[in-house]
Amino acid sequence: MNAYLDGMRKYVTFSGRATRSQFWLFTLVFVILNVVGAVLDDALGTGSPDGPGAITGLVVLVHFLPYISVFVRRLHDIDRTGWWYWFGAVPVIGFIVLLVFMCTQSTPGPNQYGPPAGTSPDVGPADNSPASSPAKVEQLEKLARLRASGAIDEAEFQKMKADVLNGSARV
């Protein structure tokens, strides 16, 4: 649900990136809302045999720009320009190409459109912080035991600790 709400909050934000799961969860909620709208149109008699009913039309109208923006951000996530969106106008082939793009794995790390979704440029991904990595915590605990036993001095401890936190050494 957060992916959907995030997409709606960024309804005209065409910069940045959106992950595969953000795109597909937004799409899923959009499709479900369309089905609910169609059922309500049918139940209330506001449906039309020539096109969508009033409620379904309102759902589509409300989601028109947010869907395009999350689509463009998804293209950015795989390091493609948002102009690829218009390739969908090519019958059959355009749909297939864009479907493949939407299923493609994210570009790892920052790309020309910014850092990966869910990260900030200064901090990095939330799951890469030193405290959240069990392997790093274990390595730091080993270092602390070595320092406490006298096997390494304070200067060695500080250097090795910095190496572990930067990901350039193992204990």
Side-chain angles (χ1 to χ4, degrees):
M1 192 62 159
N2 287 337
Y4 170 76
L5 294 174
D6 186 53
M8 292 304 285
R9 275 191 291 272
K10 297 179 180 178
Y11 73 102
V12 288
T13 304
F14 295 92
S15 61
R17 296 168 64 174
T19 64
R20 252 189 314 200
S21 62
Q22 287 173 328
F23 171 78
W24 286 111
L25 289 171
F26 185 87
T27 301
L28 176 66
V29 172
F30 179 41
V31 167
I32 289 171
L33 289 173
N34 271 317
V35 169
V36 168
V39 168
L40 287 173
D41 277 335
D42 192 42
L44 298 173
T46 58
S48 168
D50 299 328
I55 297 172
T56 306
L58 184 62
V59 169
V60 170
L61 183 64
V62 166
H63 290 88
F64 181 71
L65 281 177
Y67 188 78
I68 293 173
S69 71
V70 78
F71 198 100
V72 168
R73 288 195 313 272
R74 177 69 192 119
L75 286 167
H76 289 173
D77 195 46
I78 60 170
D79 212 10
R80 302 233 183 249
T81 179
W83 290 104
W84 274 97
Y85 174 81
W86 297 107
F87 197 67
V90 176
V92 183
I93 294 172
F95 172 78
I96 293 170
V97 168
L98 290 177
L99 181 62
V100 168
F101 282 174
M102 294 302 106
C103 295
T104 301
Q105 187 174 8
S106 300
T107 303
N111 67 18
Q112 64 180 329
Y113 300 103
T119 64
S120 99
D122 299 329
V123 179
D127 55 314
N128 268 353
S129 65
S132 67
S133 171
K136 285 185 181 182
V137 171
E138 185 178 322
Q139 291 174 359
L140 291 171
E141 288 172 347
K142 285 181 185 178
L143 283 175
R145 286 192 299 269
L146 287 172
R147 181 181 61 178
S149 71
I152 59 173
D153 64 13
E154 184 65 26
E156 288 175 306
F157 171 76
Q158 292 300 330
K159 183 190 178 312
M160 293 172 83
K161 175 181 159 187
D163 289 344
V164 168
L165 292 176
N166 292 328
S168 60
R170 291 193 59 91
V171 178

